[in-house]
Amino acid sequence: MINLDDIKSFFIEIGELSYFTNRFFKEVFKRPFETKELLNQCYNIGNRSFLLVGITGFIIGLVITLQTRPTLQEFGAEAWMPSMVSISIIREIGPVIIALTVAGRIASGMGAELGSMRVTEQIDAMEVSGTNPFKYLVVTRIVAATLMIPILVIFGDAIALYGSYIIEFIKGDVSFQLYFNKVFKALEFGDIIPATVKTFFFGFAIGLVGCFKGYYCSNGTVGVGKAANSAVVLASMLLFILDFIAVFVTDIFFNI
Protein backbone atom coordinates (compact mmCIF):
# COMPACT_ATOMS: atom_id res chain seq x y z
CA MET A 1 0.00 0.00 0.00
CA ILE A 2 1.33 3.43 -0.97
CA ASN A 3 2.11 5.71 1.95
CA LEU A 4 1.14 9.28 1.07
CA ASP A 5 3.41 10.70 3.77
CA ASP A 6 6.44 9.01 2.19
CA ILE A 7 5.54 10.40 -1.22
CA LYS A 8 5.07 13.86 0.26
CA SER A 9 8.43 13.64 2.06
CA PHE A 10 10.13 12.51 -1.16
CA PHE A 11 8.88 15.50 -3.16
CA ILE A 12 9.70 17.89 -0.31
CA GLU A 13 13.27 16.57 -0.25
CA ILE A 14 13.54 16.91 -4.04
CA GLY A 15 12.41 20.53 -3.75
CA GLU A 16 14.88 21.25 -0.95
CA LEU A 17 17.71 19.64 -2.91
CA SER A 18 16.80 21.74 -5.98
CA TYR A 19 16.87 24.91 -3.87
CA PHE A 20 20.19 23.83 -2.36
CA THR A 21 21.64 23.29 -5.85
CA ASN A 22 20.38 26.67 -7.05
CA ARG A 23 21.93 28.35 -4.02
CA PHE A 24 25.26 26.66 -4.75
CA PHE A 25 25.38 28.05 -8.31
CA LYS A 26 24.58 31.51 -6.98
CA GLU A 27 27.29 31.40 -4.31
CA VAL A 28 30.07 29.69 -6.27
CA PHE A 29 30.80 32.75 -8.45
CA LYS A 30 30.57 35.33 -5.66
CA ARG A 31 33.58 36.79 -3.89
CA PRO A 32 35.41 36.12 -1.68
CA PHE A 33 36.70 32.81 -2.99
CA GLU A 34 37.72 30.49 -0.16
CA THR A 35 40.86 29.24 -1.95
CA LYS A 36 42.66 28.00 1.15
CA GLU A 37 39.69 25.94 2.33
CA LEU A 38 39.15 24.64 -1.22
CA LEU A 39 42.73 23.35 -1.37
CA ASN A 40 42.31 21.81 2.08
CA GLN A 41 39.18 19.96 0.94
CA CYS A 42 40.94 18.82 -2.26
CA TYR A 43 43.63 17.32 -0.05
CA ASN A 44 41.08 15.64 2.23
CA ILE A 45 39.10 14.19 -0.68
CA GLY A 46 41.92 13.40 -3.09
CA ASN A 47 45.10 12.54 -1.26
CA ARG A 48 43.39 10.58 1.50
CA SER A 49 41.44 8.52 -1.04
CA PHE A 50 44.37 7.45 -3.21
CA LEU A 51 45.09 4.27 -1.26
CA LEU A 52 41.42 3.22 -1.28
CA VAL A 53 41.10 3.94 -5.00
CA GLY A 54 44.38 2.21 -5.80
CA ILE A 55 43.42 -1.00 -4.02
CA THR A 56 39.94 -0.93 -5.58
CA GLY A 57 41.29 -0.37 -9.08
CA PHE A 58 43.94 -3.05 -8.74
CA ILE A 59 41.38 -5.65 -7.63
CA ILE A 60 39.04 -4.63 -10.47
CA GLY A 61 41.77 -5.33 -13.03
CA LEU A 62 42.72 -8.65 -11.45
CA VAL A 63 39.15 -9.94 -11.14
CA ILE A 64 37.97 -8.94 -14.61
CA THR A 65 40.98 -10.57 -16.26
CA LEU A 66 40.82 -13.73 -14.18
CA GLN A 67 37.09 -14.15 -14.83
CA THR A 68 37.20 -13.36 -18.54
CA ARG A 69 40.39 -15.11 -19.66
CA PRO A 70 39.07 -18.71 -19.47
CA THR A 71 36.11 -17.82 -21.70
CA LEU A 72 38.32 -16.17 -24.31
CA GLN A 73 40.69 -19.15 -24.19
CA GLU A 74 37.86 -21.46 -25.25
CA PHE A 75 37.53 -19.48 -28.48
CA GLY A 76 41.26 -18.93 -28.94
CA ALA A 77 40.81 -15.18 -28.48
CA GLU A 78 43.28 -14.43 -25.69
CA ALA A 79 44.82 -11.74 -27.91
CA TRP A 80 41.64 -9.70 -27.46
CA MET A 81 42.02 -9.56 -23.68
CA PRO A 82 43.87 -6.17 -23.46
CA SER A 83 41.38 -4.52 -25.81
CA MET A 84 38.31 -5.90 -24.08
CA VAL A 85 39.51 -5.16 -20.56
CA SER A 86 40.65 -1.62 -21.39
CA ILE A 87 37.36 -0.65 -23.04
CA SER A 88 35.32 -2.21 -20.22
CA ILE A 89 37.29 -0.45 -17.49
CA ILE A 90 37.63 2.95 -19.14
CA ARG A 91 34.05 3.21 -20.39
CA GLU A 92 32.02 1.90 -17.51
CA ILE A 93 33.42 -0.34 -14.79
CA GLY A 94 36.21 1.93 -13.59
CA PRO A 95 34.28 5.23 -13.28
CA VAL A 96 31.19 3.70 -11.69
CA ILE A 97 32.82 1.35 -9.16
CA ILE A 98 35.49 3.85 -8.13
CA ALA A 99 32.90 6.64 -7.78
CA LEU A 100 30.70 4.38 -5.66
CA THR A 101 33.66 3.41 -3.50
CA VAL A 102 34.72 7.01 -2.97
CA ALA A 103 31.10 8.08 -2.39
CA GLY A 104 30.96 5.79 0.63
CA ARG A 105 33.84 7.70 2.17
CA ILE A 106 33.22 11.26 0.97
CA ALA A 107 29.43 11.57 1.15
CA SER A 108 29.22 9.99 4.59
CA GLY A 109 32.16 12.07 5.81
CA MET A 110 30.62 15.33 4.61
CA GLY A 111 27.21 14.39 5.99
CA ALA A 112 28.63 13.52 9.40
CA GLU A 113 30.99 16.51 9.58
CA LEU A 114 28.47 19.17 8.58
CA GLY A 115 25.75 17.40 10.55
CA SER A 116 27.79 17.54 13.74
CA MET A 117 28.52 21.23 13.10
CA ARG A 118 24.80 21.87 12.65
CA VAL A 119 23.62 20.09 15.80
CA THR A 120 26.38 21.70 17.90
CA GLU A 121 25.30 25.11 16.53
CA GLN A 122 28.70 25.88 14.97
CA ILE A 123 27.03 26.82 11.68
CA ASP A 124 24.63 29.15 13.52
CA ALA A 125 27.62 30.76 15.27
CA MET A 126 29.29 31.38 11.90
CA GLU A 127 26.15 33.09 10.61
CA VAL A 128 25.94 35.30 13.72
CA SER A 129 29.62 36.29 13.39
CA GLY A 130 29.07 37.51 9.83
CA THR A 131 30.73 34.59 8.04
CA ASN A 132 28.95 32.90 5.15
CA PRO A 133 28.93 29.25 6.26
CA PHE A 134 27.39 28.08 2.98
CA LYS A 135 30.25 29.59 1.00
CA TYR A 136 32.94 28.35 3.37
CA LEU A 137 31.60 24.88 4.18
CA VAL A 138 29.41 23.80 1.26
CA VAL A 139 30.77 25.45 -1.90
CA THR A 140 34.36 24.47 -1.18
CA ARG A 141 33.45 20.83 -0.56
CA ILE A 142 31.30 20.48 -3.66
CA VAL A 143 33.88 22.12 -5.93
CA ALA A 144 36.66 19.99 -4.42
CA ALA A 145 34.66 16.79 -5.00
CA THR A 146 33.88 17.85 -8.57
CA LEU A 147 37.57 18.43 -9.30
CA MET A 148 39.06 15.45 -7.49
CA ILE A 149 36.76 12.57 -8.49
CA PRO A 150 37.92 12.64 -12.16
CA ILE A 151 41.56 12.53 -11.02
CA LEU A 152 40.84 9.61 -8.70
CA VAL A 153 38.99 7.75 -11.47
CA ILE A 154 41.88 8.22 -13.94
CA PHE A 155 44.31 6.99 -11.29
CA GLY A 156 42.07 4.02 -10.49
CA ASP A 157 41.69 3.11 -14.17
CA ALA A 158 45.46 3.14 -14.64
CA ILE A 159 45.97 0.86 -11.63
CA ALA A 160 43.19 -1.44 -12.87
CA LEU A 161 44.89 -1.81 -16.26
CA TYR A 162 48.18 -2.55 -14.54
CA GLY A 163 46.48 -5.22 -12.43
CA SER A 164 45.09 -6.75 -15.61
CA TYR A 165 48.57 -6.70 -17.16
CA ILE A 166 50.00 -8.64 -14.20
CA ILE A 167 47.54 -11.48 -14.77
CA GLU A 168 48.30 -11.49 -18.50
CA PHE A 169 52.03 -11.55 -17.75
CA ILE A 170 51.64 -14.48 -15.37
CA LYS A 171 49.14 -16.47 -17.44
CA GLY A 172 50.19 -15.59 -20.99
CA ASP A 173 53.75 -14.25 -20.69
CA VAL A 174 52.71 -10.96 -22.34
CA SER A 175 55.23 -8.12 -22.21
CA PHE A 176 54.40 -4.72 -20.73
CA GLN A 177 54.95 -2.93 -24.04
CA LEU A 178 52.82 -5.36 -26.07
CA TYR A 179 49.98 -5.27 -23.57
CA PHE A 180 49.70 -1.50 -23.42
CA ASN A 181 50.21 -1.10 -27.16
CA LYS A 182 47.05 -3.17 -27.61
CA VAL A 183 45.29 -1.19 -24.87
CA PHE A 184 45.93 2.20 -26.47
CA LYS A 185 45.25 0.86 -29.96
CA ALA A 186 41.78 -0.27 -28.85
CA LEU A 187 40.83 3.01 -27.14
CA GLU A 188 39.33 5.94 -29.05
CA PHE A 189 38.28 9.46 -28.09
CA GLY A 190 34.70 8.22 -28.03
CA ASP A 191 35.69 5.93 -25.16
CA ILE A 192 37.82 8.33 -23.12
CA ILE A 193 36.10 11.72 -23.37
CA PRO A 194 32.53 10.74 -22.32
CA ALA A 195 33.89 8.53 -19.52
CA THR A 196 35.98 11.42 -18.19
CA VAL A 197 33.28 14.07 -18.54
CA LYS A 198 30.70 12.07 -16.59
CA THR A 199 33.09 11.74 -13.63
CA PHE A 200 32.80 15.52 -13.08
CA PHE A 201 29.05 15.04 -12.69
CA PHE A 202 29.70 12.09 -10.36
CA GLY A 203 31.89 14.27 -8.17
CA PHE A 204 29.35 17.10 -8.15
CA ALA A 205 26.55 14.72 -7.15
CA ILE A 206 28.59 13.15 -4.34
CA GLY A 207 29.60 16.53 -2.91
CA LEU A 208 26.13 18.02 -3.31
CA VAL A 209 24.30 15.18 -1.56
CA GLY A 210 26.85 14.88 1.26
CA CYS A 211 26.70 18.61 2.00
CA PHE A 212 22.91 18.77 1.62
CA LYS A 213 22.29 15.99 4.12
CA GLY A 214 24.75 17.38 6.63
CA TYR A 215 23.80 21.05 6.28
CA TYR A 216 20.14 20.39 7.03
CA CYS A 217 20.76 17.79 9.72
CA SER A 218 18.50 17.81 12.79
CA ASN A 219 17.50 15.68 15.82
CA GLY A 220 20.87 15.79 17.54
CA THR A 221 23.49 13.06 17.36
CA VAL A 222 20.95 10.55 16.05
CA GLY A 223 20.35 12.87 13.11
CA VAL A 224 24.10 12.94 12.34
CA GLY A 225 24.14 9.18 11.86
CA LYS A 226 21.04 9.32 9.70
CA ALA A 227 22.53 12.14 7.61
CA ALA A 228 25.72 10.18 6.95
CA ASN A 229 23.82 7.01 6.05
CA SER A 230 21.22 8.68 3.81
CA ALA A 231 23.95 10.70 2.07
CA VAL A 232 25.65 7.48 0.90
CA VAL A 233 22.36 5.91 -0.23
CA LEU A 234 21.16 8.97 -2.15
CA ALA A 235 24.59 9.64 -3.68
CA SER A 236 24.84 6.04 -4.90
CA MET A 237 21.38 6.21 -6.44
CA LEU A 238 22.23 9.48 -8.21
CA LEU A 239 25.43 7.96 -9.58
CA PHE A 240 23.48 5.18 -11.28
CA ILE A 241 20.97 7.67 -12.69
CA LEU A 242 23.73 9.95 -13.99
CA ASP A 243 25.58 6.98 -15.47
CA PHE A 244 22.46 5.88 -17.36
CA ILE A 245 21.97 9.41 -18.73
CA ALA A 246 25.63 9.63 -19.73
CA VAL A 247 25.53 6.27 -21.54
CA PHE A 248 22.28 7.23 -23.29
CA VAL A 249 23.66 10.60 -24.46
CA THR A 250 26.97 9.05 -25.52
CA ASP A 251 25.16 6.44 -27.57
CA ILE A 252 23.27 9.18 -29.41
CA PHE A 253 26.21 11.47 -30.17
CA PHE A 254 29.01 8.96 -30.76
CA ASN A 255 27.06 6.30 -32.66
CA ILE A 256 25.27 8.44 -35.22
Side-chain angles (χ1 to χ4, degrees), residues 217 220-230:
C217 176
T221 54
V222 176
V224 175
K226 290 182 178 179
N229 181 63
S230 58

PDB file of all heavy atoms in Angstrom, residues 217 220-230:
ATOM      1  N   CYS A 217      20.896  18.836   8.713  1.00  0.00           N
ATOM      2  CA  CYS A 217      20.757  17.786   9.717  1.00  0.00           C
ATOM      3  C   CYS A 217      19.989  18.316  10.928  1.00  0.00           C
ATOM      4  O   CYS A 217      20.058  19.501  11.270  1.00  0.00           O
ATOM      5  CB  CYS A 217      22.141  17.299  10.141  1.00  0.00           C
ATOM      6  SG  CYS A 217      22.121  16.073  11.461  1.00  0.00           S
ATOM      7  N   GLY A 220      19.710  16.107  16.717  1.00  0.00           N
ATOM      8  CA  GLY A 220      20.869  15.792  17.543  1.00  0.00           C
ATOM      9  C   GLY A 220      21.814  14.767  16.940  1.00  0.00           C
ATOM     10  O   GLY A 220      21.927  14.623  15.723  1.00  0.00           O
ATOM     11  N   THR A 221      22.472  14.020  17.817  1.00  0.00           N
ATOM     12  CA  THR A 221      23.486  13.058  17.362  1.00  0.00           C
ATOM     13  C   THR A 221      22.878  11.919  16.552  1.00  0.00           C
ATOM     14  O   THR A 221      23.538  11.354  15.687  1.00  0.00           O
ATOM     15  CB  THR A 221      24.237  12.470  18.567  1.00  0.00           C
ATOM     16  OG1 THR A 221      23.294  11.914  19.500  1.00  0.00           O
ATOM     17  CG2 THR A 221      25.054  13.539  19.262  1.00  0.00           C
ATOM     18  N   VAL A 222      21.629  11.583  16.849  1.00  0.00           N
ATOM     19  CA  VAL A 222      20.947  10.552  16.048  1.00  0.00           C
ATOM     20  C   VAL A 222      20.798  11.024  14.609  1.00  0.00           C
ATOM     21  O   VAL A 222      20.976  10.248  13.656  1.00  0.00           O
ATOM     22  CB  VAL A 222      19.562  10.233  16.651  1.00  0.00           C
ATOM     23  CG1 VAL A 222      18.830   9.234  15.759  1.00  0.00           C
ATOM     24  CG2 VAL A 222      19.712   9.672  18.059  1.00  0.00           C
ATOM     25  N   GLY A 223      20.494  12.300  14.437  1.00  0.00           N
ATOM     26  CA  GLY A 223      20.352  12.866  13.107  1.00  0.00           C
ATOM     27  C   GLY A 223      21.650  12.857  12.329  1.00  0.00           C
ATOM     28  O   GLY A 223      21.643  12.747  11.101  1.00  0.00           O
ATOM     29  N   VAL A 224      22.793  12.980  13.019  1.00  0.00           N
ATOM     30  CA  VAL A 224      24.101  12.943  12.340  1.00  0.00           C
ATOM     31  C   VAL A 224      24.322  11.589  11.688  1.00  0.00           C
ATOM     32  O   VAL A 224      24.756  11.496  10.537  1.00  0.00           O
ATOM     33  CB  VAL A 224      25.235  13.258  13.342  1.00  0.00           C
ATOM     34  CG1 VAL A 224      26.598  13.096  12.658  1.00  0.00           C
ATOM     35  CG2 VAL A 224      25.090  14.664  13.893  1.00  0.00           C
ATOM     36  N   GLY A 225      24.013  10.534  12.423  1.00  0.00           N
ATOM     37  CA  GLY A 225      24.145   9.184  11.857  1.00  0.00           C
ATOM     38  C   GLY A 225      23.223   8.968  10.670  1.00  0.00           C
ATOM     39  O   GLY A 225      23.623   8.385   9.658  1.00  0.00           O
ATOM     40  N   LYS A 226      21.983   9.456  10.794  1.00  0.00           N
ATOM     41  CA  LYS A 226      21.035   9.316   9.695  1.00  0.00           C
ATOM     42  C   LYS A 226      21.481  10.125   8.484  1.00  0.00           C
ATOM     43  O   LYS A 226      21.316   9.686   7.337  1.00  0.00           O
ATOM     44  CB  LYS A 226      19.648   9.773  10.142  1.00  0.00           C
ATOM     45  CG  LYS A 226      18.975   8.845  11.142  1.00  0.00           C
ATOM     46  CD  LYS A 226      17.585   9.338  11.497  1.00  0.00           C
ATOM     47  CE  LYS A 226      16.891   8.383  12.463  1.00  0.00           C
ATOM     48  NZ  LYS A 226      15.538   8.872  12.843  1.00  0.00           N
ATOM     49  N   ALA A 227      22.056  11.300   8.719  1.00  0.00           N
ATOM     50  CA  ALA A 227      22.527  12.138   7.610  1.00  0.00           C
ATOM     51  C   ALA A 227      23.652  11.459   6.856  1.00  0.00           C
ATOM     52  O   ALA A 227      23.678  11.458   5.618  1.00  0.00           O
ATOM     53  CB  ALA A 227      22.982  13.496   8.152  1.00  0.00           C
ATOM     54  N   ALA A 228      24.595  10.865   7.595  1.00  0.00           N
ATOM     55  CA  ALA A 228      25.719  10.180   6.951  1.00  0.00           C
ATOM     56  C   ALA A 228      25.240   8.979   6.148  1.00  0.00           C
ATOM     57  O   ALA A 228      25.686   8.748   5.012  1.00  0.00           O
ATOM     58  CB  ALA A 228      26.733   9.743   8.009  1.00  0.00           C
ATOM     59  N   ASN A 229      24.318   8.207   6.727  1.00  0.00           N
ATOM     60  CA  ASN A 229      23.815   7.009   6.051  1.00  0.00           C
ATOM     61  C   ASN A 229      22.998   7.357   4.811  1.00  0.00           C
ATOM     62  O   ASN A 229      23.191   6.787   3.727  1.00  0.00           O
ATOM     63  CB  ASN A 229      22.957   6.196   7.025  1.00  0.00           C
ATOM     64  CG  ASN A 229      22.428   4.923   6.398  1.00  0.00           C
ATOM     65  OD1 ASN A 229      23.181   4.037   6.010  1.00  0.00           O
ATOM     66  ND2 ASN A 229      21.115   4.820   6.283  1.00  0.00           N
ATOM     67  N   SER A 230      22.075   8.314   4.949  1.00  0.00           N
ATOM     68  CA  SER A 230      21.219   8.677   3.813  1.00  0.00           C
ATOM     69  C   SER A 230      22.013   9.369   2.715  1.00  0.00           C
ATOM     70  O   SER A 230      21.651   9.278   1.535  1.00  0.00           O
ATOM     71  CB  SER A 230      20.078   9.584   4.291  1.00  0.00           C
ATOM     72  OG  SER A 230      20.575  10.757   4.903  1.00  0.00           O
TER      73      SER A 230
END
